[in-house]
Amino acid sequence: MRLRKRLAVALALVLGAGVFAPTAAFGYGIGECGTGQACTFIYDNYGGAWTAIYGGVNNYGNIALNPLRVSYANDTANSVAAYGSSCRLRYYEHASQSGNYLYFDKPGDPAATIRDPALSNGGGVYVNAESRTDWRDRISSHLWVNCV
Amino acid sequence: MRRDRWALPAVVAVMLATTAGCSATDSQSSSPPTLPGHDRVDLNPETGQITLPVDRFFISESDYETVLNAHALAVSQCAAEQNVEIPYRPVIPEIGGSRLFGVWVESFAAQWGYAQPESPEKSAALERNMDPNYALSDRQLAAAEDCSEDPDVSQFTYGGSLPEQVAVELGSSNREALASDAANQVFDDWEQCLNEHGLRRDLTDGPYGILGATLDVTEANIHLALTDVGCKDEVNFVPRLAQIVADAQAGILDEHAADLEQMGIQTDELVSKAREYLTANT
């Protein structure tokens, strides 16, 4: 069963987004994101291929998508999570942490906005106007901030 | 209109209405007058802070740190009443400024190149951030969640109240402004300067990339970053782009002035309350 799910995700990657959209029900999902990691998923509801990163990311163009690791994550995220142990997270629209950003708390924070299942209407804490615009397929880097 | 929002700031207030070469201003010449401050840009070339008109109504990054600290202290005190220890740890301030239009602060470029400036305290925290043992335990998280209902804690929760449709309008406006002929002229001027200094833009991952630059702190990257920042200074890159975006925002802000003012007042009250709480309890 697990193998079939993997093959399904692989097929989705090969065919590309829009042909069909696997969700977390495919077998991967938010459970792939561990404490201390920033995670992106190519479909809504934490579905499809993903990244799970401990440190910063200067360019998602250099980060391979799991599980196949044959394509890259730049401008692919449609849902995200941030599980920092001591830091909050900004997802940026351009490489090298430039351009506009979305801001996510860490677990235990006020209202703890630590993930967003659909970036089509933005996401994260409402700290800037841009964070309520369409962020599908827009994330290119991230930065851990406001650490304790 | 609240004095603190519109008083001349200590930072450099860059008004480009009279700046030569800013064709965006020309293109706005037939626009109706805007309410005071609705087209104002504040730039601080020392700290790297960029404040566009709409940003002034949201919480600033430093004020948000204050609110986070007040919240953390309130959670710590609330959890203690449940016999759960959640140590109060204040936020380590960020020092990198804004990269809304890419790297632009000379002193940062000279020390860090394209890397994000960070204090030794933050470097240590980044190590802790990867350590699951440093995260709150399940028991602590449960206590923090319980405490989130406590009025002493929930009073320090921030979220913008601007109608989201207005935010969407502003986002579209920002993108159109940055794709305008006026903005393209700014990018062209910057690129011409880069080319004259032997640099090329790399548009692979956004408009601010430089071919060959990486985020490693090396002499080569520092040289590239300093040249990049020098060209931005030479063509007034950040002030011109910021003003183009600001001019595009002004009409939307005029239209929703009441919502924005209300949000600004709420933000100011929250920050004042957070400061008072921290003063009284630390």
Coordinates of all heavy atoms in Angstrom, one line a residue, chain B residues 57-146:
Chain B
F57 N 0.1 51.4 9.2 CA -1.1 51.1 9.9 C -1.0 49.7 10.6 O -1.8 49.3 11.5 CB -2.3 51.1 9.0 CG -2.6 52.5 8.5 CD1 -2.1 52.9 7.2 CD2 -3.2 53.5 9.3 CE1 -2.3 54.2 6.8 CE2 -3.4 54.8 8.8 CZ -2.9 55.1 7.5
F58 N -0.1 48.8 10.1 CA 0.1 47.5 10.7 C 1.2 47.7 11.8 O 1.8 48.8 11.9 CB 0.6 46.5 9.6 CG -0.4 46.0 8.7 CD1 -0.9 46.6 7.6 CD2 -1.1 44.8 9.1 CE1 -1.9 46.1 6.8 CE2 -2.1 44.2 8.3 CZ -2.5 44.9 7.1
I59 N 1.4 46.7 12.5 CA 2.4 46.7 13.6 C 3.8 46.7 13.0 O 4.1 46.0 12.0 CB 2.2 45.6 14.6 CG1 2.9 45.9 15.9 CG2 2.6 44.2 14.0 CD1 2.4 45.0 17.0
S60 N 4.7 47.5 13.5 CA 6.1 47.4 13.0 C 6.8 46.2 13.5 O 6.3 45.6 14.5 CB 6.9 48.7 13.5 OG 7.1 48.6 14.9
E61 N 7.9 45.8 12.9 CA 8.6 44.6 13.4 C 9.1 44.7 14.8 O 9.0 43.8 15.6 CB 9.8 44.3 12.4 CG 9.3 43.8 11.0 CD 10.4 43.7 10.0 OE1 11.5 43.6 10.5 OE2 10.1 43.7 8.8
S62 N 9.6 45.9 15.2 CA 10.1 46.0 16.5 C 9.0 46.1 17.5 O 9.1 45.5 18.6 CB 11.0 47.3 16.7 OG 10.2 48.4 16.4
D63 N 7.9 46.7 17.2 CA 6.7 46.7 18.1 C 6.1 45.3 18.2 O 5.6 44.9 19.3 CB 5.6 47.6 17.6 CG 5.9 49.1 17.9 OD1 6.9 49.3 18.7 OD2 5.3 50.0 17.3
Y64 N 6.2 44.5 17.2 CA 5.7 43.1 17.2 C 6.6 42.3 18.2 O 6.0 41.5 18.9 CB 5.7 42.5 15.9 CG 4.9 41.2 15.8 CD1 3.5 41.1 16.3 CD2 5.5 40.0 15.4 CE1 2.8 40.0 16.3 CE2 4.7 38.8 15.4 CZ 3.4 38.8 15.9 OH 2.7 37.6 15.9
E65 N 7.8 42.6 18.2 CA 8.7 41.9 19.2 C 8.3 42.2 20.6 O 8.3 41.4 21.5 CB 10.2 42.3 19.0 CG 10.8 41.8 17.7 CD 12.2 42.3 17.3 OE1 12.7 43.1 18.1 OE2 12.7 41.9 16.3
T66 N 7.9 43.5 20.8 CA 7.4 43.9 22.2 C 6.2 43.1 22.5 O 6.0 42.6 23.7 CB 7.1 45.4 22.2 OG1 8.3 46.1 21.9 CG2 6.6 45.9 23.5
V67 N 5.3 43.0 21.6 CA 4.0 42.3 21.9 C 4.3 40.8 22.1 O 3.7 40.2 23.0 CB 3.0 42.5 20.7 CG1 1.8 41.6 20.9 CG2 2.6 44.0 20.6
L68 N 5.2 40.2 21.3 CA 5.5 38.8 21.6 C 6.1 38.6 23.0 O 5.8 37.6 23.6 CB 6.6 38.4 20.5 CG 6.0 38.1 19.1 CD1 7.2 37.8 18.2 CD2 5.0 37.0 19.1
N69 N 6.9 39.6 23.4 CA 7.5 39.5 24.7 C 6.5 39.6 25.8 O 6.5 38.8 26.8 CB 8.6 40.6 24.9 CG 9.8 40.3 24.1 OD1 10.1 39.2 23.7 ND2 10.6 41.3 23.9
A70 N 5.5 40.5 25.7 CA 4.5 40.6 26.6 C 3.6 39.3 26.7 O 3.3 38.9 27.8 CB 3.6 41.8 26.3
H71 N 3.4 38.8 25.5 CA 2.6 37.6 25.5 C 3.4 36.4 26.2 O 2.8 35.7 27.0 CB 2.3 37.2 24.1 CG 1.5 35.9 23.9 ND1 2.1 34.7 23.9 CD2 0.2 35.7 24.0 CE1 1.2 33.7 23.8 NE2 0.0 34.3 23.9
A72 N 4.7 36.3 25.9 CA 5.5 35.2 26.5 C 5.5 35.4 28.0 O 5.4 34.4 28.7 CB 6.9 35.3 25.9
L73 N 5.6 36.6 28.5 CA 5.7 36.8 29.9 C 4.3 36.4 30.6 O 4.3 35.8 31.6 CB 6.0 38.2 30.2 CG 6.2 38.6 31.7 CD1 7.3 37.7 32.4 CD2 6.5 40.1 31.9
A74 N 3.2 36.8 29.9 CA 1.9 36.5 30.4 C 1.7 35.0 30.4 O 1.1 34.5 31.4 CB 0.8 37.2 29.6
V75 N 2.1 34.3 29.4 CA 2.0 32.9 29.4 C 2.8 32.2 30.5 O 2.3 31.3 31.2 CB 2.4 32.3 28.0 CG1 2.6 30.8 28.0 CG2 1.4 32.7 26.9
S76 N 4.0 32.7 30.7 CA 4.8 32.2 31.7 C 4.2 32.3 33.1 O 4.2 31.3 33.9 CB 6.2 32.9 31.7 OG 7.0 32.4 32.7
Q77 N 3.6 33.5 33.3 CA 3.0 33.7 34.6 C 1.7 32.9 34.8 O 1.4 32.3 35.9 CB 2.7 35.2 34.8 CG 4.0 36.0 34.9 CD 3.7 37.5 35.1 OE1 2.6 38.0 34.9 NE2 4.8 38.2 35.6
C78 N 0.9 32.8 33.7 CA -0.3 32.0 33.8 C 0.0 30.5 34.0 O -0.6 29.8 34.8 CB -1.1 32.2 32.4 SG -2.5 31.1 32.2
A79 N 1.0 30.0 33.3 CA 1.4 28.6 33.4 C 1.9 28.3 34.8 O 1.6 27.2 35.4 CB 2.4 28.2 32.4
A80 N 2.6 29.2 35.4 CA 3.1 29.0 36.8 C 2.0 28.8 37.7 O 2.1 28.0 38.7 CB 3.9 30.2 37.2
E81 N 0.8 29.4 37.5 CA -0.3 29.2 38.3 C -0.9 27.8 38.2 O -1.6 27.4 39.1 CB -1.4 30.3 38.0 CG -1.0 31.7 38.4 CD -1.9 32.8 37.9 OE1 -3.0 32.4 37.3 OE2 -1.6 33.9 38.0
Q82 N -0.5 27.2 37.1 CA -1.0 25.8 36.9 C 0.2 24.8 37.3 O 0.2 23.6 36.9 CB -1.3 25.5 35.5 CG -2.5 26.4 34.9 CD -2.8 26.1 33.5 OE1 -2.5 25.0 33.0 NE2 -3.3 27.1 32.8
N83 N 1.2 25.4 37.9 CA 2.4 24.6 38.3 C 3.1 24.0 37.1 O 3.7 22.9 37.2 CB 2.0 23.4 39.3 CG 1.5 24.0 40.6 OD1 2.0 24.9 41.1 ND2 0.4 23.4 41.1
V84 N 3.1 24.7 36.0 CA 3.8 24.3 34.8 C 4.8 25.4 34.6 O 4.5 26.6 34.5 CB 2.9 24.1 33.6 CG1 3.8 23.8 32.4 CG2 1.9 23.0 33.8
E85 N 6.1 25.0 34.4 CA 7.1 26.0 34.2 C 7.3 26.3 32.7 O 7.7 25.3 32.0 CB 8.5 25.6 34.8 CG 9.5 26.7 34.7 CD 10.9 26.3 35.2 OE1 11.1 25.1 35.5 OE2 11.8 27.1 35.2
I86 N 7.0 27.5 32.2 CA 7.4 27.9 30.9 C 8.3 29.1 31.0 O 7.8 30.2 31.3 CB 6.1 28.2 30.0 CG1 5.2 27.0 29.9 CG2 6.6 28.7 28.6 CD1 4.0 27.2 29.1
P87 N 9.6 28.9 30.9 CA 10.5 30.1 31.2 C 10.2 31.2 30.2 O 9.9 31.0 29.0 CB 11.9 29.5 30.9 CG 11.7 28.0 30.9 CD 10.3 27.7 30.5
Y88 N 10.3 32.5 30.8 CA 10.1 33.6 29.9 C 11.4 33.9 29.2 O 12.4 34.1 29.8 CB 9.7 34.9 30.8 CG 9.9 36.2 30.0 CD1 9.1 36.4 28.9 CD2 10.7 37.2 30.5 CE1 9.2 37.6 28.2 CE2 10.8 38.4 29.8 CZ 10.1 38.6 28.6 OH 10.2 39.8 27.9
R89 N 11.3 33.9 27.9 CA 12.5 34.1 27.0 C 12.1 35.2 26.0 O 11.4 35.0 25.1 CB 12.9 32.9 26.3 CG 13.3 31.7 27.1 CD 13.9 30.6 26.3 NE 14.3 29.5 27.1 CZ 13.7 28.3 27.2 NH1 12.6 28.1 26.5 NH2 14.2 27.3 28.0
P90 N 12.7 36.4 26.2 CA 12.4 37.5 25.3 C 13.0 37.3 23.9 O 14.0 36.5 23.7 CB 13.1 38.7 25.9 CG 14.1 38.2 26.8 CD 13.7 36.8 27.3
V91 N 12.4 37.9 22.9 CA 12.8 37.7 21.5 C 14.1 38.4 21.3 O 14.4 39.5 21.8 CB 11.7 38.4 20.6 CG1 12.2 38.6 19.2 CG2 10.4 37.6 20.6
I92 N 15.0 37.7 20.5 CA 16.3 38.3 20.1 C 16.0 39.2 18.9 O 15.5 38.8 17.9 CB 17.2 37.2 19.7 CG1 17.5 36.3 20.9 CG2 18.5 37.8 19.1 CD1 18.2 34.9 20.5
P93 N 16.3 40.5 19.0 CA 15.9 41.4 18.0 C 16.6 41.1 16.6 O 17.7 40.6 16.6 CB 16.5 42.8 18.5 CG 16.6 42.6 20.0 CD 16.9 41.2 20.2
E94 N 15.8 41.3 15.6 CA 16.4 41.1 14.2 C 17.2 42.4 13.8 O 16.8 43.5 14.2 CB 15.2 40.9 13.2 CG 14.4 39.7 13.4 CD 15.2 38.4 13.2 OE1 16.0 38.4 12.2 OE2 15.1 37.5 13.9
I95 N 18.2 42.2 13.1 CA 19.1 43.4 12.7 C 19.2 43.6 11.2 O 19.9 44.5 10.8 CB 20.5 43.3 13.4 CG1 21.2 42.0 12.9 CG2 20.4 43.3 14.9 CD1 22.7 41.9 13.3
G96 N 18.6 42.8 10.4 CA 18.8 42.8 9.0 C 18.1 43.8 8.2 O 18.4 44.0 7.0
G97 N 17.0 44.4 8.8 CA 16.3 45.3 8.0 C 15.5 44.7 6.9 O 15.4 43.4 6.8
S98 N 14.9 45.5 6.0 CA 14.0 45.0 5.0 C 14.7 44.7 3.7 O 15.6 45.5 3.3 CB 12.9 46.0 4.7 OG 12.1 45.6 3.6
R99 N 14.4 43.6 3.0 CA 14.9 43.3 1.7 C 13.8 43.3 0.7 O 13.8 42.5 -0.3 CB 15.6 42.0 1.7 CG 16.9 42.0 2.5 CD 17.7 40.7 2.2 NE 19.0 40.8 2.9 CZ 20.0 39.9 2.7 NH1 19.8 38.9 1.9 NH2 21.1 40.0 3.4
L100 N 12.8 44.2 0.9 CA 11.7 44.3 0.0 C 12.1 44.5 -1.4 O 11.6 43.9 -2.4 CB 10.7 45.4 0.4 CG 9.4 45.5 -0.3 CD1 8.6 44.3 -0.2 CD2 8.7 46.8 0.1
F101 N 13.2 45.3 -1.6 CA 13.7 45.5 -2.9 C 15.2 45.0 -3.0 O 16.0 45.6 -3.7 CB 13.7 47.0 -3.3 CG 12.3 47.6 -3.1 CD1 12.0 48.5 -2.2 CD2 11.3 47.2 -4.0 CE1 10.7 49.1 -2.1 CE2 10.0 47.7 -3.9 CZ 9.7 48.7 -2.9
G102 N 15.4 43.9 -2.3 CA 16.8 43.3 -2.3 C 17.7 44.0 -1.3 O 17.3 44.8 -0.5
V103 N 19.0 43.6 -1.4 CA 20.0 44.1 -0.5 C 20.2 45.6 -0.8 O 20.4 46.0 -2.0 CB 21.3 43.3 -0.7 CG1 22.4 44.0 0.0 CG2 21.1 41.9 -0.2
W104 N 20.2 46.4 0.2 CA 20.4 47.9 -0.1 C 21.2 48.6 0.9 O 21.5 49.8 0.8 CB 19.1 48.5 -0.4 CG 18.2 48.7 0.8 CD1 17.6 47.7 1.5 CD2 17.8 50.0 1.4 NE1 16.8 48.3 2.5 CE2 16.9 49.7 2.5 CE3 18.0 51.3 1.1 CZ2 16.3 50.6 3.3 CZ3 17.5 52.3 1.9 CH2 16.6 51.9 3.0
V105 N 21.6 48.0 2.1 CA 22.3 48.7 3.1 C 23.8 48.5 3.0 O 24.2 47.3 3.1 CB 21.8 48.3 4.5 CG1 22.5 49.0 5.6 CG2 20.3 48.6 4.7
E106 N 24.5 49.6 2.8 CA 25.9 49.5 2.5 C 26.7 48.8 3.7 O 27.5 47.9 3.4 CB 26.5 50.8 2.3 CG 28.0 50.8 1.9 CD 28.6 52.2 1.6 OE1 27.9 53.2 1.9 OE2 29.7 52.2 1.2
S107 N 26.4 49.1 4.9 CA 27.2 48.6 6.0 C 26.9 47.1 6.2 O 27.8 46.3 6.5 CB 26.8 49.3 7.4 OG 25.4 49.1 7.7
F108 N 25.7 46.6 5.9 CA 25.4 45.2 5.9 C 26.2 44.5 4.8 O 26.7 43.4 5.0 CB 23.9 44.9 5.8 CG 23.1 45.4 7.0 CD1 21.7 45.6 6.8 CD2 23.7 45.6 8.2 CE1 21.0 46.1 7.9 CE2 22.9 46.0 9.3 CZ 21.6 46.3 9.1
A109 N 26.1 45.1 3.6 CA 26.8 44.5 2.4 C 28.3 44.4 2.7 O 28.9 43.4 2.3 CB 26.5 45.3 1.2
A110 N 28.9 45.4 3.4 CA 30.3 45.4 3.6 C 30.7 44.3 4.6 O 31.8 43.7 4.5 CB 30.7 46.7 4.2
Q111 N 29.8 43.9 5.5 CA 30.1 42.9 6.5 C 29.6 41.5 6.1 O 30.3 40.5 6.3 CB 29.5 43.3 7.8 CG 29.9 42.3 8.9 CD 29.5 42.7 10.3 OE1 29.0 43.8 10.5 NE2 29.7 41.9 11.3
W112 N 28.4 41.5 5.5 CA 27.8 40.2 5.3 C 27.6 39.8 3.8 O 27.2 38.6 3.5 CB 26.3 40.2 5.9 CG 26.3 40.5 7.4 CD1 26.3 41.7 8.0 CD2 26.4 39.6 8.4 NE1 26.3 41.6 9.3 CE2 26.4 40.3 9.7 CE3 26.5 38.2 8.5 CZ2 26.5 39.7 10.9 CZ3 26.6 37.6 9.7 CH2 26.6 38.3 10.9
G113 N 27.9 40.7 2.9 CA 27.6 40.4 1.5 C 26.1 40.2 1.3 O 25.3 41.1 1.7
Y114 N 25.7 39.1 0.8 CA 24.2 38.9 0.6 C 23.6 38.0 1.7 O 22.4 37.8 1.7 CB 24.0 38.1 -0.7 CG 24.2 39.1 -1.9 CD1 25.4 39.1 -2.6 CD2 23.2 39.9 -2.3 CE1 25.6 40.0 -3.6 CE2 23.4 40.8 -3.4 CZ 24.6 40.8 -4.0 OH 24.8 41.7 -5.1
A115 N 24.5 37.6 2.7 CA 23.9 36.8 3.8 C 23.1 37.7 4.7 O 23.3 38.9 4.8 CB 25.1 36.2 4.6
Q116 N 22.2 37.1 5.5 CA 21.4 37.8 6.4 C 22.2 38.2 7.6 O 22.8 37.3 8.3 CB 20.2 37.0 6.9 CG 19.0 36.9 5.9 CD 18.2 38.2 5.9 OE1 18.4 39.1 6.8 NE2 17.4 38.4 4.9
P117 N 22.3 39.5 7.9 CA 23.0 39.9 9.2 C 22.3 39.3 10.4 O 21.1 39.2 10.4 CB 22.8 41.4 9.2 CG 22.5 41.8 7.8 CD 21.7 40.7 7.2
E118 N 23.1 38.7 11.3 CA 22.5 38.2 12.5 C 23.5 38.3 13.7 O 24.7 38.2 13.5 CB 22.1 36.7 12.3 CG 23.2 35.8 12.0 CD 22.7 34.4 11.7 OE1 21.7 34.3 11.0 OE2 23.4 33.4 12.0
S119 N 22.9 38.6 14.8 CA 23.8 38.7 16.0 C 24.2 37.3 16.5 O 23.7 36.3 16.1 CB 22.9 39.4 17.1 OG 21.8 38.5 17.5
P120 N 25.3 37.3 17.3 CA 25.8 36.0 17.9 C 24.7 35.3 18.7 O 24.5 34.1 18.6 CB 26.9 36.4 18.8 CG 27.4 37.7 18.3 CD 26.2 38.4 17.7
E121 N 23.8 36.1 19.3 CA 22.7 35.6 20.1 C 21.7 34.8 19.1 O 21.2 33.8 19.4 CB 21.9 36.7 20.8 CG 22.7 37.3 21.9 CD 23.7 38.4 21.5 OE1 23.6 38.8 20.3 OE2 24.6 38.8 22.2
K122 N 21.5 35.4 18.0 CA 20.6 34.8 17.0 C 21.2 33.5 16.5 O 20.5 32.5 16.3 CB 20.1 35.7 15.9 CG 19.2 35.0 15.0 CD 18.5 35.8 13.9 CE 17.7 35.0 13.0 NZ 17.0 35.7 11.9
S123 N 22.5 33.6 16.2 CA 23.2 32.4 15.6 C 23.0 31.2 16.6 O 22.7 30.1 16.2 CB 24.7 32.7 15.4 OG 24.9 33.7 14.5
A124 N 23.2 31.5 17.9 CA 23.0 30.4 18.9 C 21.6 29.9 18.9 O 21.3 28.7 19.0 CB 23.4 30.9 20.3
A125 N 20.6 30.9 18.8 CA 19.2 30.5 18.8 C 18.9 29.6 17.6 O 18.0 28.7 17.7 CB 18.3 31.7 18.8
L126 N 19.5 29.9 16.5 CA 19.2 29.1 15.3 C 19.6 27.7 15.5 O 19.0 26.7 14.9 CB 19.9 29.7 14.0 CG 19.3 31.0 13.5 CD1 20.2 31.6 12.4 CD2 17.9 30.8 13.0
E127 N 20.7 27.5 16.2 CA 21.1 26.1 16.6 C 20.0 25.4 17.5 O 19.7 24.3 17.2 CB 22.4 26.1 17.3 CG 23.6 26.5 16.5 CD 23.9 25.6 15.3 OE1 23.8 24.3 15.6 OE2 24.1 26.0 14.2
R128 N 19.6 26.2 18.4 CA 18.5 25.6 19.3 C 17.2 25.3 18.6 O 16.5 24.4 18.9 CB 18.2 26.6 20.4 CG 19.3 26.9 21.4 CD 18.8 27.6 22.7 NE 18.3 28.9 22.4 CZ 19.0 30.1 22.5 NH1 20.3 30.0 22.7 NH2 18.5 31.2 22.3
N129 N 17.0 26.1 17.5 CA 15.7 26.0 16.8 C 15.6 24.6 16.2 O 14.5 24.1 15.9 CB 15.6 27.0 15.7 CG 14.3 27.1 15.1 OD1 13.3 27.2 15.8 ND2 14.2 27.0 13.8
M130 N 16.7 24.0 15.9 CA 16.7 22.6 15.3 C 16.6 21.5 16.4 O 16.6 20.3 16.0 CB 18.0 22.4 14.4 CG 18.0 23.4 13.3 SD 19.4 23.0 12.2 CE 20.7 23.9 13.0
D131 N 16.7 21.9 17.6 CA 16.7 20.9 18.7 C 15.3 20.7 19.2 O 14.7 21.5 19.9 CB 17.6 21.5 19.8 CG 17.8 20.5 21.0 OD1 17.2 19.4 20.9 OD2 18.5 20.8 21.9
P132 N 14.8 19.5 19.0 CA 13.4 19.2 19.5 C 13.4 19.3 21.0 O 12.3 19.6 21.5 CB 13.2 17.7 19.0 CG 14.2 17.5 17.9 CD 15.4 18.4 18.2
N133 N 14.5 19.1 21.7 CA 14.5 19.1 23.1 C 14.2 20.6 23.7 O 13.9 20.8 24.8 CB 15.8 18.6 23.7 CG 15.9 17.1 23.4 OD1 15.0 16.4 23.5 ND2 17.2 16.7 23.0
Y134 N 14.5 21.5 22.8 CA 14.3 22.9 23.2 C 12.9 23.4 23.0 O 12.4 24.3 23.6 CB 15.2 23.8 22.4 CG 15.4 25.2 23.0 CD1 16.2 25.4 24.1 CD2 14.7 26.3 22.5 CE1 16.4 26.7 24.6 CE2 14.8 27.6 23.0 CZ 15.6 27.7 24.1 OH 15.8 29.0 24.7
A135 N 12.1 22.6 22.2 CA 10.7 23.0 22.0 C 9.9 22.8 23.3 O 10.3 22.0 24.2 CB 10.1 22.2 20.9
L136 N 8.8 23.4 23.4 CA 7.9 23.2 24.6 C 7.5 21.7 24.6 O 7.2 21.1 23.6 CB 6.7 24.1 24.5 CG 6.9 25.6 24.6 CD1 5.6 26.4 24.5 CD2 7.8 26.0 25.8
S137 N 7.4 21.2 25.8 CA 6.9 19.8 25.9 C 5.4 19.8 25.7 O 4.8 20.8 25.7 CB 7.3 19.3 27.3 OG 6.5 20.0 28.3
D138 N 4.9 18.6 25.6 CA 3.4 18.5 25.4 C 2.7 19.1 26.6 O 1.7 19.8 26.4 CB 3.0 17.0 25.3 CG 3.4 16.4 23.9 OD1 3.8 17.2 23.0 OD2 3.4 15.2 23.8
R139 N 3.2 18.9 27.8 CA 2.6 19.5 29.0 C 2.6 21.0 28.9 O 1.7 21.7 29.3 CB 3.3 18.9 30.2 CG 2.7 19.3 31.6 CD 3.2 18.4 32.7 NE 2.6 18.9 34.0 CZ 3.3 19.6 34.8 NH1 4.5 20.0 34.6 NH2 2.7 20.0 36.0
Q140 N 3.8 21.5 28.5 CA 3.9 23.0 28.4 C 3.0 23.5 27.3 O 2.4 24.6 27.5 CB 5.4 23.4 28.1 CG 6.3 23.2 29.3 CD 7.8 23.4 28.9 OE1 8.2 22.9 27.9 NE2 8.5 24.1 29.7
L141 N 2.9 22.8 26.2 CA 2.1 23.3 25.1 C 0.6 23.3 25.6 O -0.2 24.2 25.2 CB 2.2 22.4 23.9 CG 3.4 22.7 23.0 CD1 3.6 21.6 21.9 CD2 3.4 24.1 22.4
A142 N 0.2 22.3 26.3 CA -1.2 22.2 26.8 C -1.5 23.4 27.7 O -2.5 24.0 27.7 CB -1.4 20.9 27.5
A143 N -0.5 23.7 28.6 CA -0.7 24.8 29.5 C -0.7 26.1 28.7 O -1.6 27.0 29.0 CB 0.5 24.8 30.5
A144 N 0.1 26.3 27.7 CA 0.1 27.5 26.9 C -1.2 27.6 26.2 O -1.8 28.7 26.1 CB 1.2 27.5 25.9
E145 N -1.8 26.5 25.7 CA -3.0 26.6 25.0 C -4.2 26.9 26.0 O -5.0 27.8 25.7 CB -3.3 25.2 24.4 CG -4.5 25.3 23.4 CD -4.7 24.0 22.7 OE1 -3.7 23.3 22.4 OE2 -5.8 23.7 22.3
D146 N -4.1 26.3 27.2 CA -5.1 26.7 28.2 C -5.0 28.2 28.5 O -6.0 28.9 28.6 CB -4.9 25.9 29.5 CG -5.4 24.5 29.4 OD1 -6.2 24.2 28.4 OD2 -5.1 23.7 30.3

